[in-house]
Amino acid sequence: MRGKTTGLVAATAAFTAGILAFSAPAQASAVTVISQGHVDAIDVAYEDGEWGITIHDESVEPDVERDPADVILVAKRGAKTTVPDDPTYAFLGAPGARVWVLPETQDTALLWPGLSTEEIEPGVFVGDSVQIRFRQVLGPDGVSVFTTDPVGAPTVLVDSEDGLPDAVTLPAGAHLHANWAFEKAGVYRIKVDATARLAANGTRVTSAPAWITFAVLS
């Protein structure tokens, strides 16, 4: 669902100056704000020798592929929580500190962002393996992407504060959900690309970078 309420529109508008500060020159197309429902925040395709990175928006019917340059993904106030008093979560900050988490298990009141290689056919790449690389984060604080096991122990996939790039490796035809954590409210722009080796000749092929924008509401 797109955020259409007056409060959300006003809150998101408050981030416009920050977005423009990080952005390339303004695009002609309108910006789509997505604050709830399922999206693949990074949807990777490879067809006819060309990479594509889009945002697959399933919050609308029919679902649609969107250019990341035209989308703001919103972490609403309901995503705000505190860092657990557990040393395995130290990558999020001090125990009790505020953190905004879009969870790997769907909360219907929040955005549910995934990672996808579902549009890549088996056999195209060596080992059917694709790396989604998080190359740069611009924003007010750290960004983490992590999964949790059945007892709540985290496995960190991406941590912008311990050195980038970080890579999430997925098989062709796969889909992954994880926790997306933001350590302060504000605008975050995340630069990503995709890379793999062609099964036909072993040549590494890498996509052009894409920027994914999140607005984290206080």
Side-chain angles (χ1 to χ4, degrees), residues 2-58:
R2 297 188 194 181
K4 293 185 178 179
T5 65
T6 301
L8 179 59
V9 171
T12 304
F15 288 112
T16 301
I19 293 170
L20 293 176
F22 290 133
S23 297
Q27 303 295 314
S29 54
V31 170
T32 298
V33 177
I34 310 173
S35 64
Q36 194 168 327
H38 178 249
V39 299
D40 288 321
I42 304 170
D43 186 14
V44 179
Y46 188 83
E47 187 174 1
D48 298 328
E50 297 289 336
W51 288 103
I53 297 178
T54 60
I55 292 175
H56 184 195
D57 181 6
E58 295 185 14

Coordinates of all heavy atoms in Angstrom, one line a residue, residues 2-58:
R2 N 0.6 2.2 -0.8 CA 1.3 3.5 -0.8 C 0.8 4.3 0.4 O -0.3 4.2 0.8 CB 1.0 4.3 -2.0 CG 1.5 3.6 -3.3 CD 1.4 4.6 -4.4 NE 1.5 3.9 -5.7 CZ 1.5 4.5 -6.9 NH1 1.3 5.8 -6.9 NH2 1.6 3.8 -8.0
G3 N 1.8 5.0 1.0 CA 1.4 5.9 2.2 C 0.6 7.0 1.7 O 1.1 7.9 1.0
K4 N -0.7 7.1 2.0 CA -1.6 8.1 1.5 C -2.2 9.0 2.6 O -2.9 10.0 2.3 CB -2.7 7.5 0.7 CG -2.2 6.9 -0.6 CD -3.4 6.4 -1.4 CE -3.0 5.8 -2.7 NZ -4.1 5.3 -3.6
T5 N -2.0 8.6 3.9 CA -2.6 9.4 4.9 C -1.9 10.8 5.0 O -0.7 10.9 4.7 CB -2.5 8.7 6.3 OG1 -1.1 8.6 6.6 CG2 -3.1 7.3 6.2
T6 N -2.6 11.7 5.5 CA -2.0 13.1 5.6 C -0.8 13.1 6.5 O 0.2 13.7 6.1 CB -3.1 14.0 6.3 OG1 -4.2 14.0 5.4 CG2 -2.5 15.4 6.4
G7 N -0.8 12.4 7.6 CA 0.4 12.4 8.5 C 1.6 11.8 7.8 O 2.7 12.3 7.9
L8 N 1.4 10.7 7.1 CA 2.5 10.1 6.4 C 3.1 11.0 5.3 O 4.3 11.2 5.2 CB 2.1 8.7 5.9 CG 3.3 8.0 5.1 CD1 4.5 7.8 6.0 CD2 2.7 6.7 4.6
V9 N 2.2 11.6 4.5 CA 2.6 12.4 3.5 C 3.4 13.6 4.0 O 4.5 14.0 3.5 CB 1.4 12.9 2.6 CG1 1.8 14.0 1.7 CG2 0.8 11.8 1.9
A10 N 2.9 14.2 5.1 CA 3.6 15.4 5.7 C 4.9 14.9 6.3 O 5.9 15.6 6.1 CB 2.7 16.0 6.8
A11 N 5.0 13.8 6.9 CA 6.2 13.3 7.5 C 7.3 13.0 6.4 O 8.4 13.4 6.6 CB 6.0 12.1 8.4
T12 N 6.8 12.4 5.4 CA 7.7 12.1 4.3 C 8.2 13.3 3.6 O 9.4 13.4 3.2 CB 7.1 11.1 3.3 OG1 6.6 10.0 4.0 CG2 8.0 10.7 2.2
A13 N 7.3 14.3 3.4 CA 7.7 15.5 2.8 C 8.8 16.2 3.6 O 9.7 16.9 3.0 CB 6.5 16.5 2.7
A14 N 8.8 16.0 4.9 CA 9.9 16.7 5.7 C 11.3 16.2 5.4 O 12.3 16.8 5.7 CB 9.6 16.4 7.2
F15 N 11.3 15.0 4.7 CA 12.6 14.5 4.4 C 13.1 14.9 3.0 O 14.2 14.6 2.5 CB 12.6 12.9 4.4 CG 12.5 12.4 5.8 CD1 11.4 11.7 6.2 CD2 13.6 12.4 6.6 CE1 11.3 11.2 7.4 CE2 13.5 11.9 7.9 CZ 12.3 11.3 8.3
T16 N 12.3 15.7 2.3 CA 12.6 16.0 0.9 C 14.0 16.7 0.7 O 14.8 16.3 -0.2 CB 11.5 16.9 0.3 OG1 10.3 16.2 0.3 CG2 11.8 17.2 -1.2
A17 N 14.2 17.6 1.6 CA 15.5 18.3 1.5 C 16.7 17.4 1.7 O 17.7 17.5 0.9 CB 15.6 19.4 2.5
G18 N 16.6 16.5 2.6 CA 17.6 15.5 2.8 C 17.8 14.6 1.6 O 18.9 14.3 1.2
I19 N 16.7 14.2 1.0 CA 16.8 13.3 -0.2 C 17.5 14.0 -1.3 O 18.4 13.5 -2.0 CB 15.4 12.9 -0.6 CG1 14.8 11.9 0.4 CG2 15.4 12.2 -2.0 CD1 13.3 11.6 0.2
L20 N 17.1 15.3 -1.5 CA 17.7 16.0 -2.6 C 19.2 16.3 -2.4 O 20.0 16.3 -3.3 CB 17.0 17.4 -2.8 CG 15.5 17.3 -3.3 CD1 14.9 18.6 -3.4 CD2 15.5 16.6 -4.7
A21 N 19.5 16.4 -1.1 CA 21.0 16.6 -0.8 C 21.8 15.4 -1.2 O 23.0 15.6 -1.6 CB 21.1 16.8 0.7
F22 N 21.2 14.2 -1.2 CA 22.0 13.0 -1.6 C 21.8 12.6 -3.0 O 22.5 11.8 -3.5 CB 21.5 11.8 -0.7 CG 21.9 11.9 0.7 CD1 21.0 11.6 1.7 CD2 23.2 12.3 1.1 CE1 21.4 11.7 3.1 CE2 23.6 12.3 2.4 CZ 22.7 12.1 3.4
S23 N 20.8 13.2 -3.7 CA 20.3 12.6 -5.0 C 21.1 13.3 -6.1 O 21.6 14.3 -6.0 CB 18.8 12.9 -5.1 OG 18.1 12.2 -4.2
A24 N 21.0 12.6 -7.2 CA 21.4 13.1 -8.5 C 20.3 14.2 -8.9 O 19.3 14.3 -8.2 CB 21.5 12.0 -9.6
P25 N 20.5 14.9 -10.0 CA 19.5 15.9 -10.4 C 18.1 15.3 -10.5 O 17.9 14.1 -10.8 CB 20.0 16.3 -11.8 CG 21.5 16.2 -11.7 CD 21.7 14.9 -10.8
A26 N 17.1 16.1 -10.1 CA 15.7 15.5 -10.0 C 15.3 14.9 -11.3 O 15.5 15.3 -12.4 CB 14.8 16.7 -9.6
Q27 N 14.5 13.7 -11.1 CA 14.0 13.0 -12.2 C 12.6 13.7 -12.6 O 11.9 14.2 -11.8 CB 13.8 11.6 -11.8 CG 15.0 10.9 -11.3 CD 16.1 10.8 -12.4 OE1 15.8 10.4 -13.6 NE2 17.3 11.1 -12.1
A28 N 12.3 13.5 -13.9 CA 11.0 14.0 -14.3 C 9.8 13.3 -13.8 O 8.7 13.8 -13.6 CB 11.0 14.0 -15.9
S29 N 9.9 12.0 -13.6 CA 8.8 11.2 -13.1 C 8.5 11.4 -11.7 O 9.3 11.8 -10.9 CB 9.1 9.7 -13.4 OG 10.3 9.3 -12.8
A30 N 7.2 11.1 -11.3 CA 6.8 11.3 -9.9 C 7.4 10.2 -9.0 O 7.7 9.1 -9.4 CB 5.3 11.2 -9.9
V31 N 7.5 10.6 -7.8 CA 8.1 9.6 -6.8 C 6.9 8.8 -6.2 O 5.8 9.4 -5.9 CB 8.8 10.4 -5.7 CG1 9.1 9.5 -4.5 CG2 10.1 11.1 -6.2
T32 N 7.1 7.5 -6.1 CA 6.2 6.6 -5.4 C 6.7 6.4 -4.0 O 7.8 6.0 -3.8 CB 6.1 5.3 -6.2 OG1 5.6 5.6 -7.5 CG2 5.1 4.3 -5.5
V33 N 5.8 6.6 -3.0 CA 6.1 6.3 -1.6 C 5.4 5.0 -1.2 O 4.2 4.9 -1.3 CB 5.6 7.5 -0.7 CG1 5.9 7.2 0.8 CG2 6.3 8.8 -1.1
I34 N 6.2 4.1 -0.7 CA 5.7 2.8 -0.3 C 6.0 2.6 1.2 O 7.2 2.6 1.6 CB 6.3 1.6 -1.1 CG1 6.2 1.9 -2.6 CG2 5.5 0.3 -0.8 CD1 6.9 0.9 -3.5
S35 N 5.0 2.4 2.0 CA 5.2 2.4 3.5 C 4.6 1.1 4.1 O 4.8 0.9 5.3 CB 4.5 3.6 4.1 OG 3.1 3.5 3.9
Q36 N 4.0 0.2 3.3 CA 3.4 -0.9 3.9 C 3.2 -2.0 2.8 O 3.1 -1.7 1.7 CB 2.0 -0.5 4.4 CG 1.3 -1.5 5.3 CD 0.1 -0.9 6.0 OE1 0.1 0.3 6.3 NE2 -1.0 -1.7 6.2
G37 N 3.3 -3.3 3.3 CA 3.1 -4.4 2.3 C 4.5 -4.9 1.8 O 5.5 -4.5 2.2
H38 N 4.4 -5.9 0.9 CA 5.6 -6.6 0.5 C 6.2 -5.9 -0.8 O 5.5 -5.6 -1.7 CB 5.2 -8.0 0.1 CG 6.4 -8.8 -0.4 ND1 6.5 -9.2 -1.7 CD2 7.5 -9.2 0.2 CE1 7.6 -9.9 -1.9 NE2 8.3 -9.8 -0.7
V39 N 7.5 -5.7 -0.7 CA 8.3 -5.3 -1.9 C 9.6 -6.1 -1.9 O 10.0 -6.5 -0.8 CB 8.6 -3.8 -1.8 CG1 7.4 -2.9 -1.8 CG2 9.5 -3.4 -0.7
D40 N 10.1 -6.3 -3.0 CA 11.5 -6.7 -3.1 C 12.3 -5.5 -3.3 O 12.3 -4.9 -4.4 CB 11.7 -7.8 -4.3 CG 11.1 -9.1 -3.9 OD1 11.2 -9.5 -2.8 OD2 10.5 -9.7 -4.8
A41 N 12.9 -5.0 -2.3 CA 13.6 -3.7 -2.3 C 14.8 -3.8 -3.3 O 15.2 -2.8 -3.9 CB 14.2 -3.4 -0.9
I42 N 15.3 -5.0 -3.5 CA 16.4 -5.2 -4.5 C 16.0 -6.5 -5.3 O 16.1 -7.6 -4.8 CB 17.8 -5.4 -3.9 CG1 18.1 -4.2 -3.0 CG2 18.8 -5.6 -5.0 CD1 19.3 -4.4 -2.1
D43 N 15.5 -6.2 -6.5 CA 15.0 -7.3 -7.4 C 16.0 -7.4 -8.6 O 16.0 -6.5 -9.4 CB 13.6 -7.0 -7.8 CG 13.0 -8.2 -8.6 OD1 13.6 -9.3 -8.6 OD2 11.9 -8.0 -9.3
V44 N 16.8 -8.4 -8.6 CA 17.8 -8.5 -9.6 C 17.4 -9.4 -10.8 O 16.9 -10.6 -10.6 CB 19.1 -9.1 -9.0 CG1 20.2 -9.2 -10.0 CG2 19.6 -8.2 -7.9
A45 N 17.6 -9.0 -12.0 CA 17.3 -9.8 -13.2 C 18.5 -9.8 -14.1 O 19.4 -8.9 -14.0 CB 16.1 -9.2 -13.9
Y46 N 18.7 -10.8 -14.9 CA 19.7 -10.9 -16.0 C 19.1 -11.5 -17.2 O 18.7 -12.7 -17.1 CB 20.9 -11.6 -15.5 CG 22.1 -11.6 -16.4 CD1 23.0 -10.5 -16.4 CD2 22.4 -12.6 -17.3 CE1 24.1 -10.4 -17.2 CE2 23.5 -12.5 -18.2 CZ 24.3 -11.4 -18.1 OH 25.4 -11.3 -19.0
E47 N 19.0 -10.8 -18.3 CA 18.4 -11.3 -19.5 C 19.0 -10.7 -20.7 O 19.3 -9.5 -20.8 CB 16.9 -10.9 -19.5 CG 16.1 -11.5 -20.6 CD 14.6 -11.3 -20.5 OE1 14.2 -10.6 -19.5 OE2 13.8 -11.7 -21.3
D48 N 19.3 -11.6 -21.7 CA 20.0 -11.1 -22.9 C 21.2 -10.4 -22.7 O 21.5 -9.4 -23.4 CB 19.0 -10.3 -23.8 CG 17.7 -11.1 -24.2 OD1 17.9 -12.3 -24.4 OD2 16.7 -10.5 -24.3
G49 N 22.0 -10.8 -21.7 CA 23.3 -10.2 -21.4 C 23.2 -8.9 -20.7 O 24.2 -8.2 -20.5
E50 N 22.0 -8.5 -20.1 CA 21.9 -7.3 -19.5 C 21.3 -7.5 -18.1 O 20.4 -8.2 -17.8 CB 20.9 -6.4 -20.2 CG 21.3 -6.0 -21.6 CD 22.5 -5.0 -21.6 OE1 22.6 -4.3 -20.6 OE2 23.3 -4.9 -22.6
W51 N 21.9 -6.8 -17.1 CA 21.4 -6.8 -15.7 C 20.3 -5.8 -15.6 O 20.2 -4.8 -16.3 CB 22.5 -6.3 -14.7 CG 23.6 -7.3 -14.5 CD1 24.9 -7.3 -15.0 CD2 23.6 -8.4 -13.6 NE1 25.6 -8.3 -14.5 CE2 24.9 -9.0 -13.6 CE3 22.6 -9.0 -12.8 CZ2 25.2 -10.1 -12.8 CZ3 22.9 -10.1 -12.0 CH2 24.2 -10.7 -12.1
G52 N 19.4 -6.0 -14.6 CA 18.4 -5.1 -14.2 C 18.3 -5.1 -12.7 O 18.3 -6.2 -12.1
I53 N 18.2 -4.0 -12.0 CA 17.9 -3.9 -10.6 C 16.7 -3.0 -10.5 O 16.7 -1.8 -10.8 CB 19.1 -3.4 -9.8 CG1 20.3 -4.3 -9.9 CG2 18.6 -3.2 -8.3 CD1 21.5 -3.8 -9.1
T54 N 15.6 -3.5 -10.0 CA 14.4 -2.8 -9.8 C 13.8 -3.0 -8.4 O 14.4 -3.8 -7.6 CB 13.3 -3.2 -10.8 OG1 13.0 -4.6 -10.6 CG2 13.7 -3.0 -12.2
I55 N 12.8 -2.3 -8.1 CA 12.0 -2.6 -6.8 C 10.7 -3.2 -7.3 O 9.9 -2.6 -8.1 CB 11.7 -1.3 -6.1 CG1 13.0 -0.7 -5.5 CG2 10.7 -1.5 -5.0 CD1 12.9 0.6 -4.8
H56 N 10.5 -4.4 -6.9 CA 9.3 -5.2 -7.2 C 8.2 -4.9 -6.2 O 8.3 -5.3 -5.1 CB 9.6 -6.7 -7.3 CG 8.4 -7.5 -7.8 ND1 8.4 -8.8 -7.6 CD2 7.3 -7.1 -8.4 CE1 7.3 -9.3 -8.1 NE2 6.6 -8.3 -8.6
D57 N 7.2 -4.1 -6.6 CA 6.2 -3.6 -5.7 C 5.0 -4.5 -5.7 O 4.2 -4.5 -6.7 CB 5.8 -2.2 -6.0 CG 4.8 -1.6 -5.1 OD1 4.5 -2.2 -4.1 OD2 4.4 -0.5 -5.4
E58 N 4.8 -5.3 -4.6 CA 3.7 -6.2 -4.5 C 2.6 -5.6 -3.5 O 1.7 -6.3 -3.1 CB 4.1 -7.6 -4.1 CG 4.9 -8.3 -5.1 CD 5.2 -9.8 -4.7 OE1 4.6 -10.3 -3.8 OE2 6.1 -10.4 -5.3

